[in-house]
Amino acid sequence: FEAVDRSFNSFTASLGYKTTLFKVVTARLNLATGFRAPNLAELTSNGVHHGTNRFEIGNANLNNEQNYQVDLALEYNNEHIEFFVNGFYNAINDYIFLRPTGEFEEGNQVFEYVQDNAKLFGGEAGFHFHPHPLDWLHIESSFEIVVGKQNTGDYLPLIPANQWNNTLRTEFKDINWIKDSFVALTLATTFNQDKVSQFETDTDGYSLLNFGFGGDFTLGKTKFNASLSVNNLLNKEYIAHLSRLKVDGIPNIELLAKQVVEGFITCLHKSPFHGFSFEFAEHRLYNKWESTRHIDWKLFAKSEKLFIKRYEEETNLWSHIIIDNSASMHYPKLDAISLEKYNKIGFAVLA
């Protein structure tokens, strides 16, 4: 391979407007543009990606991705219920994605990085019902949809399926030695994904039942917060459309990053747009029992609502375990303990 010496320049901009309609509906309109330079893997790959069972070939001639996005959000809330509807349209110039070549190398299908203009559009709608005086009861429901197409009319690869999430949550202030406790049950339904690219296959839908509870506990003078969540409570066997192990028929595998990864598309919708070593996985409402480390704080600043933002990890972790079996690790069996040997042991510990 020839040495790659590239530089990338572009611009980003955003403009937002917020107003109140009919005194009860909040409307938000956002216009934005941003860019992403191709990463090192997309430019220089030439070998098997063991995390995806693909032989990937980079493209040193890739250009910046540049997007132009508009999104509109409408929200209504009163003492008992909240409704929201969000829609977006995102045009992306020189969208980077993987495409199979039809060849095989080292027993793996060959994929190459290519570019094409594309568009993403969709939205979400939902409600949060918390009737008074039943302050402890919360019922939440949201539906999310995103469609990705090339300008040729073909569907983009790795677009998440439509999702419908329903949550029943109870919250209580004080119950004996537990304060601010909650119990939540969520039914997460993923629909069939049949809007697939030419080299993908359809993915069947599935529903997962998730459970969580927690609160602030007091044991004697010790106070602490604890929570427990169980995903896929009924042990449903499923294969996610975005799973890199789908082609191998391996179920129930979803790799999620442990930290939020910065990207230039920050909105209320799911996006398959990817940054270095990560694929976007989900954007959904925050549930109280979950860790706050995945909250999209930039979105909270704009919408005053808590959303979880996660990415699907694509990188590999190589680890090595080294065992020293040499004589230097051998300490002879002691028949009798003397002060001298105690000193040797103590010196070894301090060293």
Side-chain angles (χ1 to χ4, degrees):
F1 277 100
E2 296 182 3
V4 176
D5 184 8
R6 299 285 307 278
S7 61
F8 301 93
N9 299 285
S10 190
F11 65 95
T12 62
S14 62
L15 177 66
Y17 177 72
K18 175 183 176 182
T19 187
T20 301
L21 305 176
F22 314 113
K23 297 182 180 181
V24 291
V25 177
T26 301
R28 294 180 176 86
L29 176 66
N30 294 295
L31 304 175
T33 182
F35 78 99
R36 185 183 73 88
N39 61 50
L40 192 61
E42 295 164 343
L43 292 170
T44 64
S45 290
N46 186 37
V48 177
H49 190 312
H50 296 284
T52 61
N53 293 332
R54 294 189 302 229
F55 191 101
E56 298 182 358
I57 298 177
N59 183 349
N61 297 316
L62 294 175
N63 298 316
N64 281 338
E65 294 174 326
Q66 185 79 40
N67 89 304
Y68 303 92
Q69 177 176 300
V70 57
D71 59 80
L72 176 66
L74 299 175
E75 301 172 7
Y76 166 80
N77 65 81
N78 60 27
E79 185 181 5
H80 304 286
I81 195 167
E82 300 173 10
F83 287 101
F84 66 90
V85 177
N86 310 310
F88 71 94
Y89 183 89
N90 193 355
I92 306 173
N93 294 337
D94 294 322
Y95 181 80
I96 300 173
F97 61 98
L98 280 167
R99 181 179 64 188
T101 64
E103 301 174 346
F104 285 83
E105 288 282 350
E106 302 179 17
N108 296 278
Q109 191 174 7
V110 177
F111 284 74
E112 62 180 356
Y113 283 98
V114 296
Q115 286 186 302
D116 191 11
N117 294 338
K119 54 192 173 185
L120 300 169
F121 54 91
E124 64 179 336
F127 69 87
H128 176 197
F129 181 52
H130 44 90
H132 297 287
L134 303 178
D135 297 334
W136 52 270
L137 179 62
H138 297 263
I139 300 173
E140 301 175 7
S141 181
S142 64
F143 176 78
E144 304 169 347
I145 180 174
V146 60
V147 179
K149 282 188 172 185
Q150 299 173 234
N151 282 4
T152 60
D154 297 331
Y155 288 107
L156 288 172
L158 297 176
I159 299 297
N162 300 339
Q163 293 185 343
W164 184 24
N165 296 318
N166 296 279
T167 299
L168 175 63
R169 186 174 77 250
T170 60
E171 298 178 355
F172 301 96
K173 289 295 183 182
D174 297 301
I175 302 179
N176 297 327
W177 42 276
I178 306 176
K179 294 184 178 181
D180 295 327
S181 61
F182 69 90
V183 177
L185 193 66
T186 298
L187 180 64
T189 300
T190 300
F191 293 87
N192 298 339
Q193 179 56 296
D194 53 10
K195 296 180 176 61
V196 296
S197 68
Q198 294 179 344
F199 60 87
E200 288 183 309
T201 58
D202 294 356
T203 304
D204 293 333
Y206 52 90
S207 294
L208 304 179
L209 190 64
N210 305 323
F211 174 76
F213 71 90
D216 297 327
F217 296 82
T218 302
L219 295 178
K221 296 182 179 180
T222 303
K223 297 181 180 181
F224 60 94
N225 178 273
S227 62
L228 174 68
S229 62
V230 181
N231 293 331
N232 196 6
L233 189 63
L234 302 181
N235 197 26
K236 170 74 174 179
E237 185 173 291
Y238 69 97
I239 297 180
H241 183 67
L242 298 184
S243 173
R244 293 298 189 270
L245 302 178
K246 174 189 172 183
V247 294
D248 300 308
I250 300 177
N252 297 43
I253 298 294
E254 292 186 71
L255 303 177
L256 296 179
K258 292 185 178 181
Q259 61 181 355
V260 173
V261 179
E262 184 69 23
F264 74 78
I265 296 184
T266 303
C267 192
L268 296 173
H269 58 82
K270 301 178 298 176
S271 168
F273 216 75
H274 54 280
F276 181 70
S277 300
F278 292 91
E279 290 284 348
F280 198 86
E282 63 175 344
H283 214 162
R284 57 177 173 78
L285 287 170
Y286 168 74
N287 293 307
K288 184 176 178 181
W289 70 83
E290 296 178 288
S291 171
T292 58
R293 65 183 178 181
H294 299 302
I295 291 178
D296 186 346
W297 295 109
K298 288 185 178 180
L299 181 57
F300 175 76
K302 293 193 297 181
S303 67
E304 299 178 0
K305 290 185 177 296
L306 295 176
F307 282 81
I308 293 294
K309 187 177 183 181
R310 292 191 179 217
Y311 292 76
E312 187 166 343
E313 189 172 13
E314 189 183 349
T315 54
N316 295 319
L317 172 65
W318 294 90
S319 60
H320 301 273
I321 300 176
I322 300 175
I323 300 177
D324 188 349
N325 195 30
S326 66
S328 64
M329 300 300 295
H330 175 68
Y331 194 89
K333 182 178 179 180
L334 301 177
D335 296 326
I337 300 295
S338 65
L339 180 61
E340 178 184 1
K341 291 179 178 178
Y342 269 128
N343 290 337
K344 290 180 178 178
I345 295 174
F347 180 78
V349 171
L350 293 176

